[in-house]
Amino acid sequence: MSSVHAIAHSYTPRWPEKPDAVHAVELRGVGLSIGDQGILNNIDLAIRKATTTAIIGPSGSGKTTLLRCINYLARPTAGEVWVGGQLVGHRERNNRLVPAGERLLRHHRRQTGMVFQKFNLFRNMSILENVAFAPVSSGICTREEANDRARRLVARVGLAHKLDSLPEQLSGGQQQRIAIARALAMEPKVMLFDEATSALDPELSREVLHLMQELAEEGMTMIVVTHEMSFARNVAHEVVFMENGSIYAKAPPAELFSDLAPERVQTFLAA
């Protein structure tokens, strides 16, 4: 459960038109405040389909909160979030938008798969059961179909021989690969990664980053909060630098990782 809570609100949308079809995610004027404290400030960001966007910046700059606003684990207090052409987190009532209830939010969240810093696997379930759980519990497929899907995805991440294992019998890198398989089991339009390698040592990090690179090459739309600058430089199509709850700079990696970047970005990368 997020510690960030939104103030209930309703409003007439600033941007009545739907996003362009080339965009998988679009944030329009997104803000989040707790009392007088601004956490995110007027974020405008469009993510093209089949691309990887890396979000970098100092700790406390709002990177994780931005990611959580996309699937409404944190509710923005301003602006709009669109995923797959759908306005997330709201429904229409009397020609006005009002906050969506939890049932509709669960439907919206199916469009995004999220991988956290910690693996959050169910300790008392086998790997097969972990990956099959969400599709069955959400009612999108039968248990048999979910098990078939889980077997394919676990094999996809190179761990078919671990189907009957418990999470504690896997290394950290293996558990994170299973967490990715579990997110993919819901067949999301977008994958969100929140520092997916931060709890791993360098060798195990390479396992996970290699899998993420494969997903990027296969055309999965991904938004990746990361401190892995080599991933941002070599895999991402666009890099977003955040500071103080705002987007400070946004550019292709060839530009952001060069002397063309703003001085603040260069200072951060040098450190």
Side-chain angles (χ1 to χ4, degrees), residues 6-271:
I7 301 168
H9 65 291
S10 62
Y11 61 94
T12 301
R14 283 173 56 192
W15 305 271
E17 73 280 2
K18 288 189 175 182
D20 191 297
V22 302
H23 292 138
V25 176
E26 191 168 328
L27 308 181
R28 300 171 169 182
V30 168
L32 192 151
S33 299
I34 301 175
D36 294 331
Q37 182 181 7
I39 309 300
L40 294 177
N41 308 303
N42 198 33
I43 301 291
D44 288 320
L45 182 64
I47 308 294
R48 293 175 64 89
K49 293 178 180 177
T51 64
T52 296
T53 299
I55 302 179
I56 65 173
S59 297
S61 59
K63 304 185 299 296
T64 292
T65 301
L66 176 60
L67 210 63
R68 294 170 73 86
C69 281
I70 293 173
N71 65 0
Y72 262 65
L73 288 177
R75 285 181 178 247
T77 50
E80 300 177 5
V81 177
W82 293 76
V83 177
Q86 295 184 350
L87 179 62
V88 179
H90 293 86
R91 62 184 179 87
E92 187 175 337
R93 185 173 66 191
N94 298 326
N95 295 318
R96 291 176 65 83
L97 294 178
V98 297
E102 191 59 34
R103 182 176 180 180
L104 182 56
L105 281 178
R106 285 196 298 269
H107 170 74
H108 288 161
R109 288 178 185 136
R110 292 177 189 174
Q111 310 303 311
T112 56
M114 189 157 183
V115 180
F116 300 89
Q117 298 178 28
K118 296 183 179 179
F119 324 124
N120 296 329
L121 300 177
F122 297 113
R123 295 297 175 185
N124 61 338
M125 291 185 183
S126 70
I127 296 310
L128 175 65
E129 291 168 333
N130 262 280
V131 178
F133 178 79
V136 173
S137 63
S138 63
I140 66 173
C141 62
T142 66
R143 182 169 298 279
E144 182 179 359
E145 292 168 338
N147 285 344
D148 287 343
R149 185 181 298 182
R151 291 187 185 97
R152 291 196 303 271
L153 288 168
V154 173
R156 167 70 182 79
V157 301
L159 294 170
H161 59 297
K162 297 290 187 179
L163 278 171
D164 297 323
S165 300
L166 293 172
E168 65 184 15
Q169 297 172 303
L170 275 59
S171 70
Q174 289 173 331
Q175 289 187 59
Q176 193 63 295
R177 283 149 63 191
I178 293 301
I180 294 173
R182 182 179 59 182
L184 291 170
M186 294 296 287
E187 298 186 338
K189 291 183 170 66
V190 181
M191 286 286 286
L192 309 175
F193 293 86
D194 183 18
E195 296 286 5
T197 61
S198 65
L200 304 175
D201 65 36
E203 184 175 1
L204 297 180
S205 293
R206 283 194 293 272
E207 294 179 10
V208 176
L209 291 170
H210 179 71
L211 174 58
M212 291 168 63
Q213 182 170 354
E214 288 182 347
L215 291 174
E217 292 170 351
E218 292 169 6
M220 171 62 72
T221 305
M222 304 198 303
I223 306 174
V224 183
V225 170
T226 185
H227 286 301
E228 300 281 355
M229 293 301 109
S230 61
F231 181 90
R233 182 198 300 266
N234 298 319
V235 179
H237 298 87
E238 187 167 60
V239 181
V240 173
F241 180 85
M242 290 189 66
E243 187 162 56
N244 298 324
S246 299
I247 293 179
Y248 185 87
K250 179 180 65 173
E255 179 178 334
L256 206 74
F257 289 88
S258 76
D259 56 9
L260 298 176
E263 182 177 356
R264 173 67 186 102
V265 177
Q266 294 186 50
T267 300
F268 171 80
L269 294 174

